Amino acid sequence: MSKRIGDESGESVHKKQPYEYYCVLDFEATCEEPNPEGYEHEIIEFPVVLLNASDLKVKDTIQIFVKPRDKPHLSDFCTRLTGISQQQVDAGISLTAALHKIHGFLASHGLVEGKYEDHCLKPGQYHSDTGSWQYKFAFLTDGPWDLWRFLNPECQRKHIRKAGYYDMWVNVRYLFCEYHEIHRANIASML
């Protein structure tokens, strides 16, 4: 039986989860050292780890390299920081193609049905208008940056339609801080 640290009662920490699966997501994006003011990042890696919420076991993974359109040449800093090479992004696919590929990955696990376009938001529409809260999964991220600072602005700038399920995400950093009653945390402190 799993226990919370410092919990001597032996009470299980595995409670019914609101979703059947979590799609752990951690984008890598173009960057400079330092980023100039107004710098517009482009996603260069779109990895997802599909985690079964009931037993927290990895069901599957997918890693997609994305070819940046506006900043096609990675800075030396970006390559050092991310470990992603120029050759990997040169062989990558467009962000639109990556979104479609992730949709196919989700469909292969029975998490979505139909075409990607059937799940896309119209300009000015939000997931609450689409019924996307009915999905059996949510994305799990370390803070709001992956979806708010990288995916949303890039889709808006490039006029790429985004599926409503990208608005369904769990901020693991927030939950960690709330559980441990602390104000801030980083990856090192959460591990």
Side-chain angles (χ1 to χ4, degrees):
M1 181 179 301
S2 299
K3 292 191 328 182
R4 288 188 175 101
I5 295 173
D7 182 359
E8 302 305 320
S9 71
E11 183 179 320
S12 174
V13 296
H14 296 290
K15 296 180 179 173
K16 173 97 171 97
Q17 298 295 311
Y19 301 100
E20 292 179 30
Y21 291 94
Y22 293 107
C23 296
V24 181
L25 173 69
D26 184 24
F27 292 132
E28 296 297 342
T30 57
C31 55
E32 302 284 338
E33 183 181 35
N35 286 326
E37 189 170 328
Y39 185 85
E40 295 179 334
H41 298 276
E42 288 184 276
I43 295 168
I44 58 174
E45 184 190 24
F46 199 137
V48 173
V49 175
L50 184 60
L51 191 67
N52 185 318
S54 65
D55 60 13
L56 301 179
K57 292 189 191 248
V58 173
K59 182 166 183 172
D60 202 356
T61 62
I62 186 170
Q63 179 184 33
I64 301 168
F65 289 104
V66 180
K67 186 173 187 171
R69 182 189 77 187
D70 300 333
K71 295 172 186 63
H73 300 288
L74 300 182
S75 68
D76 290 339
F77 172 73
C78 185
T79 297
R80 284 193 315 275
L81 179 68
T82 65
I84 297 172
S85 71
Q86 186 66 50
Q87 294 78 16
Q88 288 172 304
V89 297
D90 286 347
I93 60 178
S94 69
L95 179 58
T96 299
L99 292 167
H100 283 262
K101 194 167 185 176
I102 292 295
H103 185 80
F105 173 78
L106 297 170
S108 74
H109 293 288
L111 299 177
V112 294
E113 294 178 358
K115 297 183 296 187
Y116 178 75
E117 292 77 13
D118 297 339
H119 297 265
C120 286
L121 300 172
K122 294 179 175 82
Q125 186 180 40
Y126 298 94
H127 72 274
S128 60
D129 302 326
T130 66
S132 62
W133 62 89
Q134 297 173 8
Y135 289 111
K136 298 185 290 187
F137 71 95
F139 286 92
L140 187 138
T141 65
D142 172 33
W145 303 280
D146 289 291
L147 296 167
W148 279 1
R149 188 170 176 193
F150 297 129
L151 185 63
N152 283 349
E154 188 170 354
C155 286
Q156 288 173 358
R157 267 192 334 269
K158 295 179 178 178
H159 306 285
I160 297 171
R161 293 187 68 206
K162 183 189 78 166
Y165 48 74
Y166 286 106
D167 287 342
M168 300 302 300
W169 55 276
V170 176
N171 181 341
V172 72
R173 184 180 300 224
Y174 172 82
L175 294 176
F176 180 89
C177 290
E178 186 177 84
Y179 178 81
H180 290 285
E181 298 177 352
I182 58 176
H183 295 289
R184 300 181 99 180
N186 59 28
I187 292 213
S189 66
M190 290 191 294
L191 295 174

